Structure formats: C-alpha cells, structure tokens
Amino acid sequence: MFILKLAGKILLLPVWLILFVIGLAVKMTVQTYAVVRGILEMMQEWSGASKLILAMDTWFERLMADQ
C-alpha cells in the first residue's frame, strides 16, 4: 500500500509543477496589468506624467551608467 501511495505522489509531481508554473504566470500577468493600468490612468489624469516618467527614466539610466 505504501508503494502505491508513493507511486501516486511521484506521478502527481509533474502536475503540481505545471500548476505552480501556471499560477506563477497568472500572478505575474495580473501584476503587470495592474502596474500598466495604473501608469496609463495616471497619464490620462495628469498631463505632466509623461514628462515625469521620461525624467525618471533618464535619471535612472545615468545613475546606472555611473556605477
């Protein structure tokens, strides 16, 4: 009986791995959507948002180039 339970768990391991990867992909997709949606809403409500984002990107690139 023990061997059958062990074999069943071993056979289910790929299924759990696939479900874990799918869950992780869904979580990353939802987070990315939330961030992009927030940025787009901010850009629609505030006309200076695109300038702020560009300035922050430029500052970050210069900061990383100095290191």
Side-chain angles (χ1 to χ4, degrees), residues 7-53:
K9 289 182 181 181
I10 291 173
L11 289 174
L12 285 177
L13 187 61
V15 174
W16 287 112
L17 184 63
I18 291 169
L19 290 175
F20 174 75
V21 170
I22 290 171
L24 191 62
V26 168
K27 196 177 289 189
M28 289 174 47
T29 303
V30 169
Q31 288 293 332
T32 303
Y33 172 77
V35 169
V36 170
R37 183 175 154 210
I39 290 172
L40 290 176
E41 286 178 359
M42 181 179 71
M43 289 179 71
Q44 288 176 350
E45 293 176 8
W46 182 40
S47 62
S50 58
K51 293 176 186 174
L52 175 67
I53 292 171

